[in-house]
């Protein structure tokens, strides 16, 4: 029995190693288009590889997997984060859990995972062919099973803006997706997810480096909103709240050319509570300038910026004391704190993490085995499927789970 794996990334290697552990006699070959394998694993998590998550803070999988949560819920019965954690520790990669529930190798180095995969692949006799781009299944007709683990890549039309320089879009000839479509698979057009926003506001950008701990960002007039820390950068906005929003609204933003208004509630509290805090400040610190006394615990420079934004049209200007804050100005300030609006001008040039929303539609695969519904003995695992998560180790977990599912399915039909 011979199995070909197309793509030497996270899912491809996890699959190869598990196949050999389940069926040592199986001949397994990985075909990788690049000269090096596991390149994304290497750069992941800032070089530390956030390889999974404890899921302790996750009450609803759709919050961490905007696409694919139903299928993953089912597949987690086969192989979930606890299995992944145990798997890596059992294979000589001790892990640690951070306070935010993200899981990393204890060595804080992605090479510990790469070394684990490479040494197991060598020990088990997995054949690794690099520099070999597979563009159709015709060359692989003498394999009993073929698994596609080619990862994700945005299509040319959707990858615009500076990010396309960082992640060159695949040309149609380099992607297997058109071929798979011709074989009868439904392809959900790939678009980027998990990116930060370019906001061309020099005054905001001047606050680069400032972080707010608990902010809500949203796209006005849509259901898309996300909460979490927000980071102001020299190109605009980033941080967990923005990355999450870019994931939830990935397709919406792609359709809009990544230009849209962005709403910010800096403290994630409602207008009434902001008003109450303003009233208290007026009563307690009446003689202090509004710009100098900051009742919300925001970074002082951000508070000054927000007061300037909120009261810029005020008759009295910025020299107001708390005692002089009238109803109109207070309303303006409440609005700036809870409904600050700016314009997303595109995807930002740098990325913390980056994944593809879209790929092979889940309706094209058997949900128990991930085998193609149209081409027998053809399977899919990893980001090539229309599954993607937010940051926090969820994308690798999807790769481990789908790869393990395919290994178990190939074993079961032997
Ligand atoms: C900078 C960055 C940081 C990230 N950090 C994290 C993180 O910390 N935690 C997390 O959970 N996720 C992270 N991700 C996402 C994670 O890396 C991916 O979700 C994961 O690698 C997907 O695994 P995969 O095997 O499906 O695809 P990949 O790892 O992308 O592997 C696919 C492989 O297939 C090869 N290939 C493609 N087409 C062909 C072809 N036609 N023929 C032969 N070979 C082909 C590619 O060259 C590649 O090596 C990060 C992503 C990026 C870009």
């Amino acid at each position: 029995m011979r199995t070909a794996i197309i793509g030497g990334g996270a899912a491809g290697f996890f699959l190869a190693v598990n196949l050999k552990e389940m069926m040592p006699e199986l001949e397994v070959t990985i075909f990788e288009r690049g000269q090096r394998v596991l390149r994304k694993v290497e750069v992941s998590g800032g070089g530390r590889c956030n390889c999974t998550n404890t899921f302790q803070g996750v009450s609803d999988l759709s919050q961490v997997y905007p696409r694919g949560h139903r299928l993953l819920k089912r597949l987690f019965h086969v192989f979930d984060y606890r299995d992944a954690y145990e798997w890596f520790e059992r294979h000589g990669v001790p892990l640690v859990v951070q306070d935010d529930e993200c899981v990393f190798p204890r060595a804080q180095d992605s090479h510990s995972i790469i070394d684990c995969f490479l040494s197991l692949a060598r020990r088990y006799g997995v054949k690794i062919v690099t520099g070999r781009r597979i563009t159709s299944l015709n060359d692989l007709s003498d394999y009993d099973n073929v698994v596609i683990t080619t990862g994700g890549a945005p299509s040319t039309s959707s990858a615009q803006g500076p990010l396309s320089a960082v992640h060159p879009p695949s040309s149609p000839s380099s992607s297997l997706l058109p071929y798979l479509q011709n074989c009868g698979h439904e392809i959900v057009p790939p678009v980027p997810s998990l990116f930060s926003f370019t906001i061309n506001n020099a005054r905001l950008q001047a606050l680069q480096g400032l972080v707010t701990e608990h902010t809500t960002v949203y796209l006005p007039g849509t259901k898309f909103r996300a909460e979490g820390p927000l980071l102001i950068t020299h190109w605009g906005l980033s941080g967990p709240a923005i990355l999450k929003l870019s994931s939830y609204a990935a397709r919406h933003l792609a359709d809009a050319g990544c230009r849209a208004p962005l709403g910010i509630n800096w403290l994630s509290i409602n207008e009434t509570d902001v008003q109450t805090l303003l009233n208290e400040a007026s009563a307690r610190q009446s003689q202090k300038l509004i710009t100098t006394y900051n009742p919300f615990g925001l970074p002082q420079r951000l508070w000054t910026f927000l007061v300037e934004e909120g009261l810029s049209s005020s008759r009295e200007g910025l020299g107001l004391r708390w005692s002089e804050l009238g109803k109109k100005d207070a309303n303006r300030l409440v609005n700036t704190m809870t409904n600050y609006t700016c314009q997303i001008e595109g995807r930002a040039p740098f990325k913390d993490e980056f994944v593809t929303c879209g790929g092979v539609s889940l309706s094209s695969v058997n949900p128990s085995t991930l085998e193609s519904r149209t081409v027998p003995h053809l399977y899919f695992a990893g980001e090539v499927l229309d599954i993607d998560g937010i940051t926090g180790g969820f994308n690798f977990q999807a790769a481990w789970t789908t790869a393990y599912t395919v290994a178990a399915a190939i074993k079961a039909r032997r």
Side-chain angles (χ1 to χ4, degrees):
M1 282 258 288
R2 304 178 77 204
T3 295
I5 298 172
I6 310 177
F13 269 85
F14 199 70
L15 171 66
V17 167
N18 279 290
L19 274 173
K20 290 296 281 185
E21 289 190 347
M22 291 177 195
M23 293 165 283
E25 73 287 2
L26 200 71
E27 193 183 317
V28 178
T29 306
I30 296 177
F31 294 98
E32 165 56 47
R33 70 179 171 192
Q35 292 306 325
R36 288 174 58 207
V37 294
L38 295 163
R39 284 178 58 197
K40 266 197 201 168
V41 174
E42 186 170 27
V43 297
S44 67
R48 297 191 299 136
C49 188
N50 179 190
C51 58
T52 186
N53 191 288
T54 65
F55 285 68
Q56 290 303 305
V58 181
S59 54
D60 177 357
L61 276 185
S62 69
Q63 289 301 305
V64 292
Y65 291 109
R67 273 89 28 200
H69 54 95
R70 283 193 197 87
L71 179 66
L72 283 175
K73 190 173 178 188
R74 176 183 187 130
L75 300 184
F76 282 164
H77 293 296
V78 180
F79 192 89
D80 72 359
Y81 56 95
R82 286 170 291 236
D83 299 312
Y85 197 105
E86 192 270 329
W87 193 98
F88 281 107
E89 295 233 309
R90 185 159 43 88
H91 289 83
V93 185
L95 303 176
V96 283
V97 181
Q98 291 190 167
D99 290 346
D100 60 3
E101 307 299 340
C102 294
V103 178
F104 288 85
R106 194 189 294 157
Q108 301 290 331
D109 187 346
S110 58
H111 288 101
S112 55
I113 288 184
I114 295 174
D115 293 348
C116 164
F117 285 161
L118 289 180
S119 69
L120 288 173
R122 206 174 302 121
R123 191 191 311 160
Y124 296 154
V126 173
K127 204 167 156 202
I128 301 168
V129 182
T130 53
R132 177 83 187 274
R133 182 193 303 279
I134 304 292
T135 51
S136 89
L137 302 186
N138 300 339
D139 308 345
L140 305 175
S141 51
D142 48 347
Y143 286 86
D144 303 290
N145 297 297
V146 175
V147 191
I148 297 186
T149 58
T150 47
S155 67
T156 311
S157 60
S158 55
Q160 33 69 19
L163 195 67
S164 52
V166 181
H167 300 284
S170 299
S171 70
S173 63
S174 75
S175 168
L176 266 173
L177 294 182
Y179 172 83
L180 293 169
Q181 194 167 24
N182 285 339
C183 299
H185 302 92
E186 189 191 328
I187 303 299
V188 181
V191 299
S193 178
L194 293 183
F195 48 87
S196 45
F197 299 156
T198 298
I199 312 276
N200 290 328
N201 176 334
R203 296 187 57 244
L204 186 71
Q205 290 171 0
L207 302 175
Q208 64 174 280
L210 288 190
V211 177
T212 58
E213 287 308 322
H214 196 64
T215 293
T216 300
V217 288
Y218 57 95
L219 301 183
T222 74
K223 63 178 194 311
F224 300 116
R225 58 174 51 234
E227 283 180 32
L230 178 80
L231 168 67
I232 302 175
T233 66
H234 67 275
W235 65 83
L237 294 171
S238 185
I242 294 292
L243 295 178
K244 224 190 279 181
L245 183 65
S246 79
S247 172
Y248 295 160
R251 196 155 298 284
H252 173 88
L253 286 170
D255 290 347
C258 207
R259 286 172 198 282
L262 174 72
I264 305 176
N265 180 334
W266 295 94
L267 292 155
S268 294
I269 58 177
N270 65 34
E271 296 179 3
T272 314
D273 290 347
V274 172
Q275 185 67 66
T276 305
L277 287 168
L278 290 181
N279 292 345
E280 283 172 14
S282 295
R284 288 206 197 130
Q285 304 289 341
S286 57
Q287 291 315 304
K288 289 219 167 118
L289 288 176
I290 294 175
T291 41
T292 54
Y293 175 68
N294 162 11
F296 297 105
L298 285 169
Q300 182 59 34
R301 283 196 300 140
L302 176 60
W303 170 245
T304 307
F305 166 82
L306 292 171
V307 174
E308 287 174 1
E309 292 280 306
L311 302 187
S312 60
S313 57
S314 159
R315 205 165 25 89
E316 288 83 2
L318 300 172
L320 279 183
R321 294 180 190 283
W322 277 100
S323 60
E324 297 162 336
L325 185 69
K327 199 165 179 348
K328 247 189 192 162
D329 285 337
N331 286 342
R332 286 194 192 112
L333 212 41
V334 169
N335 198 45
T336 308
M337 297 297 297
T338 56
N339 291 307
Y340 181 83
T341 309
C342 54
Q343 185 68 24
I344 302 169
E345 305 280 359
R347 289 188 278 280
F350 306 103
K351 78 293 172 214
D352 298 320
E353 186 169 332
F354 174 87
V355 294
T356 301
C357 150
V360 174
S361 166
L362 303 185
S363 63
S364 295
V365 297
N366 176 324
S368 301
T369 60
L370 304 183
E371 184 177 12
S372 161
R373 288 192 192 276
T374 48
V375 181
H377 298 272
L378 176 65
Y379 297 83
F380 299 92
E383 212 179 300
V384 69
L385 288 164
D386 183 20
I387 297 177
D388 62 276
I390 62 171
T391 54
F394 300 107
N395 285 297
F396 278 134
Q397 182 59 51
W400 315 141
T401 295
T402 51
Y404 189 92
T405 300
V406 171
I410 289 176
K411 181 180 179 216
R413 81 180 299 165
R414 190 172 48 147

